[in-house]
Amino acid sequence: MTEQQWPLWEVFIRSKQGLDHKHAGSIHAADAAMAIENARDVYTRRMEGVSIWVVESKYIHASNPDEASSLYDPANDKIYRHPTFYDLPDELKHM
Amino acid sequence: MALAENELSFQEKVDQDIRIEPKDWMPDAYRKTLIRQISQHAHSEIVGMLPEANWITRAPSLKRKATLIAKVQDEAGHGLYLYSAAETMGISREEMVDQLLSGKAKYSSIFNYPTITWADMGAIGWLVDGAAIMNQVPLCRASYGPYARAMVRICKEESFHQRQGFEILLVLSKGSEAQRRMCQDAIDRWWWPSVMMFGPNDEASPHTAQSMRWKIKRFTNDELRQRFIDVCAEQVKLLGMRLPDDLLKWNEERQHYDFGPIDWEELRQVISGNGPCNKERLAARVQAHADGAWVREAAMAHAGKRAQRAAPDQYKVA
C-alpha cells in the first residue's frame, strides 16, 4: 500500500501589526493545527510574523493568466477613474 | 496561440525581466530544467544537514551548539522553501523525495566529504556556505518568481552561516599550536572541493548558454569561481592561514588571482557516487525517511479522527 501523503497548505504571514497577510510559500501538514506549527518553524524563525493563515492549497482558485486581457478589459479604458484625468487650474490649492 | 508564438512572448518577458509565475505558459524544457535545478538544490540543503549534525552533540560550548542547531534548522527550512517552489511547477513532494532516496537525483557533491574535526564546522561555514552564497545571490533575480523569492529568503539567512563559520576559524587561528594546525588542516581539505562547487569549466558546461538566456543562471561557473577565489584569497590573510594552492598569485593585469589546476577527475568520481561519504549520506536519508513513516501515518490518522469528531452529526460515518 502506498503511504497517504500529507496535503499541501499555502501559508500567509502578517509580518507586523497593521500590514496585510502576504503569501510566503507552502507547507505539508496533516491538519490545520500542524500546518500552522510547521509554517511557524519554516517561515518565521526570525520573528518574520505576528500572525499566520494557512489554507489547503486545493481550496485556492486562481485566475488564468492567458485570459488576463479579457478579464481586466473592463478597467482598461476607464482613465476617468484616476484623479489625473481631470484638468484643473494650477491656482487651485489643497485638492 | 501557436507554440512558436508562445515561446517568443515567453522569451520577451524574460528579456524584459518580467518574472514568470506558476500559471504562466512556459516551454517544457524550461520547466524540466528548473524542476531539476530547484529540486537538486533542495536535496543539497537536506543532505547538507548531515555533515554538521555530526558535530551538534560534540560542539565545544553551549553557544556553539545552539548556533549549530540553528544553522542546521535553517538548512531544513531552505530545503522546504525550495521544495515548495519546485512544487509550483507541478512535481509533487513525494516524487522529489523518491528521486533523492532512490539515488536518481543529484545533490551538491560537497556533502559527500566527511567532517572529521571541529574546525570543519568553521571551514564549511566560511568556504562551503561562502561558495553557496556566491552562487545563490544572483539567483535572487532568477526569472521564475517562486524560485527567486525562495532565494531571497535563503540569502538573508545564509549570511549568518558564513559569519559564524569564519568566527570559528578566527578563534582557532588565535589558539594553541594544535588549534592552529587543526584550522589549517580543515582549510586544506575543504578548499578544493569548495572551488569545485561551481561546477565544470565553462567549455565543459553545455547548458550554461541556454540557462543564461532563460535567466535561471546569471553568471557562468568560471566567473563565479574566480570571484570566490578572489574574495577568499584576501579573507584567508585575516586568519593568518594559507589556501592550499602554490600557484595562487595576484595577477595585476587581469586584476584577479591566478590559481592552480582543478582535479576534475576527483569531482567526477564524487558525482558518480565514489566520494568518501556518498553511501553513508544516502543511507542516513533513507533510514530517516523509513523511521519517520509511523509518525507521518499517525499524524494522518489523528487528523482524520479529529476532523470526524468536529464534523456536524449528519456527516458522521457511523
Side-chain angles (χ1 to χ4, degrees):
Chain A
M1 198 185 81
T2 55
E3 195 179 302
Q4 200 190 352
Q5 299 296 311
W6 288 356
L8 188 67
W9 302 73
E10 298 302 318
V11 177
F12 301 83
I13 291 174
R14 186 200 296 287
S15 59
K16 66 179 207 188
Q17 219 56 24
L19 296 182
D20 296 324
H21 284 76
K22 199 175 142 199
H23 185 239
S26 64
I27 202 86
H28 286 266
D31 60 19
M34 187 198 273
I36 288 175
E37 282 176 8
N38 287 358
R40 173 203 61 193
D41 290 345
V42 174
Y43 293 104
T44 66
R45 284 191 304 283
R46 288 175 179 76
M47 306 291 295
E48 290 96 335
V50 294
S51 163
I52 297 173
W53 286 350
V54 292
V55 58
E56 241 188 285
S57 306
K58 67 179 181 190
Y59 295 120
I60 302 247
H61 300 269
S63 60
N64 182 350
D66 294 340
E67 291 160 9
S69 57
S70 60
L71 186 65
Y72 301 112
D73 179 64
N76 206 12
D77 56 355
K78 295 180 178 62
I79 47 170
Y80 48 84
R81 284 181 170 166
H82 297 278
T84 46
F85 177 75
Y86 300 92
D87 211 4
L88 297 175
D90 290 345
E91 303 85 70
L92 183 69
K93 299 293 178 206
H94 308 297
M95 189 178 282
Chain B
M1 262 198 282
L3 184 66
E5 211 179 313
N6 271 333
E7 296 239 14
L8 211 65
S9 76
F10 170 84
Q11 189 60 46
E12 259 169 32
K13 268 161 81 179
V14 172
D15 291 344
Q16 291 170 45
D17 278 326
I18 297 171
R19 295 275 186 275
I20 307 301
E21 294 295 342
K23 287 175 75 86
D24 294 342
W25 187 91
M26 61 188 84
D28 276 349
Y30 176 84
R31 187 186 299 273
K32 234 192 240 164
T33 304
L34 260 186
I35 286 179
R36 196 182 56 230
Q37 181 172 329
I38 300 173
S39 62
Q40 274 181 13
H41 188 171
H43 299 328
S44 301
E45 297 282 355
I46 299 301
V47 177
M49 291 192 278
L50 298 170
E52 291 176 309
N54 184 36
W55 281 91
I56 289 177
T57 52
R58 282 171 280 170
S61 69
L62 190 58
K63 176 190 129 184
R64 294 291 187 205
K65 187 179 183 136
T67 300
L68 201 50
I69 291 172
K71 182 175 190 287
V72 170
Q73 198 185 7
D74 273 354
E75 277 144 15
H78 296 176
L80 295 179
Y81 303 158
L82 288 160
Y83 282 134
S84 156
E87 283 172 279
T88 66
M89 301 200 100
I91 187 171
S92 72
R93 174 75 61 88
E94 190 186 8
E95 206 177 335
M96 288 186 277
V97 171
D98 278 349
Q99 288 173 351
L100 173 65
L101 299 184
S102 67
K104 193 177 151 221
K106 297 253 180 287
Y107 55 85
S108 181
S109 56
I110 193 84
F111 301 117
N112 290 317
Y113 289 88
T115 46
I116 55 183
T117 72
W118 169 250
D120 289 4
M121 296 303 97
I124 287 181
W126 176 39
L127 298 173
V128 176
D129 291 312
I133 290 171
M134 216 48 105
N135 259 326
Q136 289 168 356
V137 168
L139 292 176
C140 295
R141 295 183 296 127
S143 58
Y144 188 58
Y147 186 32
R149 293 192 286 272
M151 291 314 306
V152 169
R153 281 175 198 283
I154 290 174
C155 286
K156 269 189 204 158
E157 300 181 348
E158 205 72 61
S159 168
F160 134 63
H161 297 184
Q162 197 189 15
R163 291 172 69 96
Q164 66 85 37
F166 196 84
E167 194 202 60
I168 288 174
L169 294 183
L170 197 60
V171 169
L172 291 174
S173 76
K174 291 175 180 158
S176 66
E177 187 47 40
Q179 284 173 318
R180 290 181 49 79
R181 264 205 311 276
M182 187 163 84
C183 181
Q184 182 63 59
D185 165 66
I187 295 170
D188 289 348
R189 283 180 292 106
W190 289 95
W191 174 247
W192 287 109
S194 302
V195 168
M196 291 179 204
M197 279 177 71
F198 297 92
N201 279 137
D202 292 348
E203 313 81 82
S205 179
H207 303 302
T208 292
Q210 180 59 74
S211 290
M212 288 182 73
R213 239 167 60 84
W214 280 335
K215 296 191 181 169
I216 53 179
K217 189 168 182 166
R218 291 283 190 158
F219 298 97
T220 71
N221 295 353
D222 287 334
E223 284 169 347
L224 292 168
R225 183 171 9 249
Q226 181 70 61
R227 206 181 286 176
F228 174 70
I229 290 172
D230 288 348
V231 167
C232 293
E234 291 299 319
Q235 290 174 342
V236 75
K237 293 176 185 169
L238 283 168
L239 296 173
M241 299 281 145
R242 63 178 292 277
L243 297 176
D245 180 356
D246 292 335
L247 298 173
L248 188 76
K249 193 166 169 274
W250 178 250
N251 183 325
E252 191 57 40
E253 200 181 312
R254 290 201 311 127
Q255 289 292 300
H256 286 295
Y257 275 88
D258 289 336
F259 52 95
I262 295 168
D263 181 2
W264 295 118
E265 178 54 23
E266 177 179 330
L267 181 65
R268 213 181 54 78
Q269 284 295 331
V270 180
I271 287 179
S272 48
N274 302 319
C277 299
N278 294 55
K279 289 191 183 67
E280 184 185 329
R281 299 290 184 241
L282 206 55
R285 284 316 313 157
V286 170
Q287 177 80 41
H289 192 72
D291 288 351
W294 73 270
V295 179
R296 295 191 295 276
E297 269 170 49
M300 279 307 277
H302 178 66
K305 247 187 229 168
R306 287 226 310 204
Q308 213 175 38
R309 233 175 275 147
D313 284 340
Q314 68 263 37
Y315 298 127
K316 266 190 188 157
V317 184

